[in-house]
mmCIF file of all heavy atoms in Angstrom:
data_model
loop_
_atom_site.group_PDB
_atom_site.id
_atom_site.type_symbol
_atom_site.label_atom_id
_atom_site.label_comp_id
_atom_site.label_asym_id
_atom_site.label_seq_id
_atom_site.Cartn_x
_atom_site.Cartn_y
_atom_site.Cartn_z
ATOM 1 N N GLU A 211 24.440 69.482 31.798
ATOM 2 C CA GLU A 211 24.406 69.021 30.468
ATOM 3 C C GLU A 211 25.301 69.994 29.518
ATOM 4 O O GLU A 211 26.011 69.409 28.691
ATOM 5 C CB GLU A 211 22.924 69.280 29.852
ATOM 6 C CG GLU A 211 22.776 69.004 28.374
ATOM 7 C CD GLU A 211 21.329 69.107 27.856
ATOM 8 O OE1 GLU A 211 20.365 68.720 28.574
ATOM 9 O OE2 GLU A 211 21.278 69.766 26.748
ATOM 10 N N PHE A 212 25.293 71.240 29.751
ATOM 11 C CA PHE A 212 26.190 72.030 28.910
ATOM 12 C C PHE A 212 27.634 71.802 29.233
ATOM 13 O O PHE A 212 28.432 71.801 28.243
ATOM 14 C CB PHE A 212 25.849 73.550 29.219
ATOM 15 C CG PHE A 212 24.460 73.993 28.774
ATOM 16 C CD1 PHE A 212 23.977 75.202 29.397
ATOM 17 C CD2 PHE A 212 23.743 73.360 28.017
ATOM 18 C CE1 PHE A 212 22.750 75.627 28.944
ATOM 19 C CE2 PHE A 212 22.412 73.812 27.655
ATOM 20 C CZ PHE A 212 21.966 74.971 28.124
ATOM 21 N N ALA A 218 29.587 73.853 21.904
ATOM 22 C CA ALA A 218 28.567 74.755 22.382
ATOM 23 C C ALA A 218 27.235 73.974 22.119
ATOM 24 O O ALA A 218 27.078 73.313 21.113
ATOM 25 C CB ALA A 218 28.637 76.045 21.615
ATOM 26 N N PRO A 219 26.309 74.095 23.042
ATOM 27 C CA PRO A 219 25.038 73.410 22.860
ATOM 28 C C PRO A 219 24.288 74.063 21.712
ATOM 29 O O PRO A 219 24.360 75.208 21.481
ATOM 30 C CB PRO A 219 24.312 73.781 24.262
ATOM 31 C CG PRO A 219 24.938 74.959 24.775
ATOM 32 C CD PRO A 219 26.450 74.797 24.367
ATOM 33 N N ASP A 220 23.523 73.183 21.064
ATOM 34 C CA ASP A 220 22.756 73.742 19.880
ATOM 35 C C ASP A 220 21.539 74.590 20.380
ATOM 36 O O ASP A 220 21.128 74.486 21.528
ATOM 37 C CB ASP A 220 22.327 72.682 18.900
ATOM 38 C CG ASP A 220 21.376 71.563 19.446
ATOM 39 O OD1 ASP A 220 20.552 72.019 20.358
ATOM 40 O OD2 ASP A 220 21.595 70.435 19.249
ATOM 41 N N ASP A 221 21.017 75.346 19.431
ATOM 42 C CA ASP A 221 20.026 76.258 19.776
ATOM 43 C C ASP A 221 18.694 75.539 20.298
ATOM 44 O O ASP A 221 17.996 76.048 21.227
ATOM 45 C CB ASP A 221 19.464 76.948 18.618
ATOM 46 C CG ASP A 221 20.610 78.098 18.098
ATOM 47 O OD1 ASP A 221 21.530 78.294 19.013
ATOM 48 O OD2 ASP A 221 20.619 78.585 16.965
ATOM 49 N N THR A 222 18.544 74.289 19.821
ATOM 50 C CA THR A 222 17.393 73.511 20.385
ATOM 51 C C THR A 222 17.448 73.176 21.802
ATOM 52 O O THR A 222 16.390 73.342 22.555
ATOM 53 C CB THR A 222 17.236 72.177 19.539
ATOM 54 O OG1 THR A 222 17.189 72.472 18.207
ATOM 55 C CG2 THR A 222 16.053 71.377 20.021
ATOM 56 N N ARG A 223 18.643 72.845 22.267
ATOM 57 C CA ARG A 223 18.771 72.506 23.721
ATOM 58 C C ARG A 223 18.759 73.795 24.550
ATOM 59 O O ARG A 223 18.225 73.821 25.762
ATOM 60 C CB ARG A 223 20.160 71.795 23.922
ATOM 61 C CG ARG A 223 20.201 70.407 23.317
ATOM 62 C CD ARG A 223 19.082 69.495 23.846
ATOM 63 N NE ARG A 223 19.064 69.339 25.247
ATOM 64 C CZ ARG A 223 17.995 68.724 25.842
ATOM 65 N NH1 ARG A 223 16.975 68.465 25.249
ATOM 66 N NH2 ARG A 223 18.140 68.588 27.166
ATOM 67 N N VAL A 224 19.305 74.851 24.090
ATOM 68 C CA VAL A 224 19.258 76.186 24.827
ATOM 69 C C VAL A 224 17.806 76.608 25.020
ATOM 70 O O VAL A 224 17.303 76.975 26.009
ATOM 71 C CB VAL A 224 19.935 77.253 24.119
ATOM 72 C CG1 VAL A 224 19.723 78.590 24.730
ATOM 73 C CG2 VAL A 224 21.510 76.874 24.055
ATOM 74 N N ALA A 225 17.028 76.350 23.851
ATOM 75 C CA ALA A 225 15.611 76.803 23.936
ATOM 76 C C ALA A 225 14.823 75.852 24.887
ATOM 77 O O ALA A 225 13.982 76.309 25.576
ATOM 78 C CB ALA A 225 14.911 76.770 22.481
ATOM 79 N N HIS A 226 15.168 74.556 24.856
ATOM 80 C CA HIS A 226 14.525 73.607 25.702
ATOM 81 C C HIS A 226 14.700 74.047 27.235
ATOM 82 O O HIS A 226 13.739 74.071 27.976
ATOM 83 C CB HIS A 226 15.304 72.272 25.440
ATOM 84 C CG HIS A 226 14.915 71.217 26.694
ATOM 85 N ND1 HIS A 226 13.882 70.414 26.618
ATOM 86 C CD2 HIS A 226 15.726 70.911 27.631
ATOM 87 C CE1 HIS A 226 13.960 69.724 27.683
ATOM 88 N NE2 HIS A 226 15.000 69.923 28.323
ATOM 89 N N TRP A 227 15.912 74.422 27.656
ATOM 90 C CA TRP A 227 16.121 74.803 29.030
ATOM 91 C C TRP A 227 15.443 76.194 29.342
ATOM 92 O O TRP A 227 14.948 76.443 30.413
ATOM 93 C CB TRP A 227 17.631 74.826 29.400
ATOM 94 C CG TRP A 227 18.106 73.446 29.535
ATOM 95 C CD1 TRP A 227 18.933 72.780 28.703
ATOM 96 C CD2 TRP A 227 17.777 72.579 30.652
ATOM 97 N NE1 TRP A 227 19.199 71.520 29.176
ATOM 98 C CE2 TRP A 227 18.489 71.303 30.336
ATOM 99 C CE3 TRP A 227 16.969 72.643 31.770
ATOM 100 C CZ2 TRP A 227 18.375 70.221 31.251
ATOM 101 C CZ3 TRP A 227 16.913 71.612 32.616
ATOM 102 C CH2 TRP A 227 17.606 70.348 32.333
ATOM 103 N N GLN A 228 15.514 77.041 28.354
ATOM 104 C CA GLN A 228 14.925 78.290 28.503
ATOM 105 C C GLN A 228 13.351 78.133 28.694
ATOM 106 O O GLN A 228 12.709 78.929 29.689
ATOM 107 C CB GLN A 228 15.076 79.291 27.376
ATOM 108 C CG GLN A 228 16.492 79.833 27.353
ATOM 109 C CD GLN A 228 16.804 80.595 26.065
ATOM 110 O OE1 GLN A 228 16.100 80.417 25.047
ATOM 111 N NE2 GLN A 228 17.885 81.374 26.166
ATOM 112 N N ARG A 229 12.659 77.260 28.026
ATOM 113 C CA ARG A 229 11.222 77.000 28.227
ATOM 114 C C ARG A 229 11.002 76.432 29.600
ATOM 115 O O ARG A 229 10.091 76.842 30.284
ATOM 116 C CB ARG A 229 10.774 76.056 27.100
ATOM 117 C CG ARG A 229 10.600 76.604 25.733
ATOM 118 C CD ARG A 229 9.794 75.627 24.785
ATOM 119 N NE ARG A 229 10.355 74.373 24.708
ATOM 120 C CZ ARG A 229 11.335 74.058 23.841
ATOM 121 N NH1 ARG A 229 11.702 74.976 22.941
ATOM 122 N NH2 ARG A 229 11.833 72.822 23.672
ATOM 123 N N ARG A 230 11.906 75.514 30.077
ATOM 124 C CA ARG A 230 11.748 74.849 31.337
ATOM 125 C C ARG A 230 11.869 75.945 32.385
ATOM 126 O O ARG A 230 11.118 75.990 33.413
ATOM 127 C CB ARG A 230 12.767 73.777 31.541
ATOM 128 C CG ARG A 230 12.500 72.490 30.861
ATOM 129 C CD ARG A 230 13.313 71.481 31.241
ATOM 130 N NE ARG A 230 13.035 70.107 30.656
ATOM 131 C CZ ARG A 230 13.553 68.945 30.996
ATOM 132 N NH1 ARG A 230 14.432 68.931 31.907
ATOM 133 N NH2 ARG A 230 13.175 67.849 30.489
#
Side-chain angles (χ1 to χ4, degrees):
E211 178 182 317
F212 294 163
D220 61 41
D221 292 342
T222 301
R223 293 306 299 168
V224 174
H226 165 83
W227 284 109
Q228 288 174 338
R229 285 194 302 273
R230 286 191 173 188

